[in-house]
């Protein structure tokens, strides 16, 4: 459960950073962070499935 909370916190942080880079016009970093977000979301879905 604690690991799940940490993953949710990390997900929120990555989403905030991606929005910040998107607004700044830095598409590369935004895409990179969105890739990390998708990987973390997949990891969370696997944990919830078990």
């Amino acid at each position: 459960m604690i690991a799940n909370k940490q993953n949710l916190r990390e997900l929120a942080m990555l989403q905030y950073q991606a929005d910040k880079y998107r607004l700044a016009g830095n598409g590369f970093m935004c895409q990179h962070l969105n890739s990390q977000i998708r990987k973390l979301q997949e990891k969370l879905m696997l944990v919830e499935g078990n």
Side-chain angles (χ1 to χ4, degrees):
M1 188 68 168
I2 292 173
N4 203 15
K5 276 188 175 182
Q6 289 174 341
N7 285 336
L8 290 174
R9 187 172 293 146
E10 182 180 355
L11 181 62
M13 180 193 67
L14 289 172
Q15 289 172 334
Y16 171 78
Q17 287 179 346
D19 284 341
K20 188 172 146 183
Y21 280 115
R22 182 182 53 80
L23 291 173
N26 191 338
F28 174 78
M29 279 304 293
C30 185
Q31 287 179 356
H32 177 69
L33 290 170
N34 281 326
S35 171
Q36 289 181 333
I37 289 168
R38 281 191 299 276
K39 288 177 186 176
L40 187 54
Q41 286 174 334
E42 290 173 4
K43 182 179 175 182
L44 286 171
M45 293 300 286
L46 288 174
V47 168
E48 287 178 3
N50 290 333

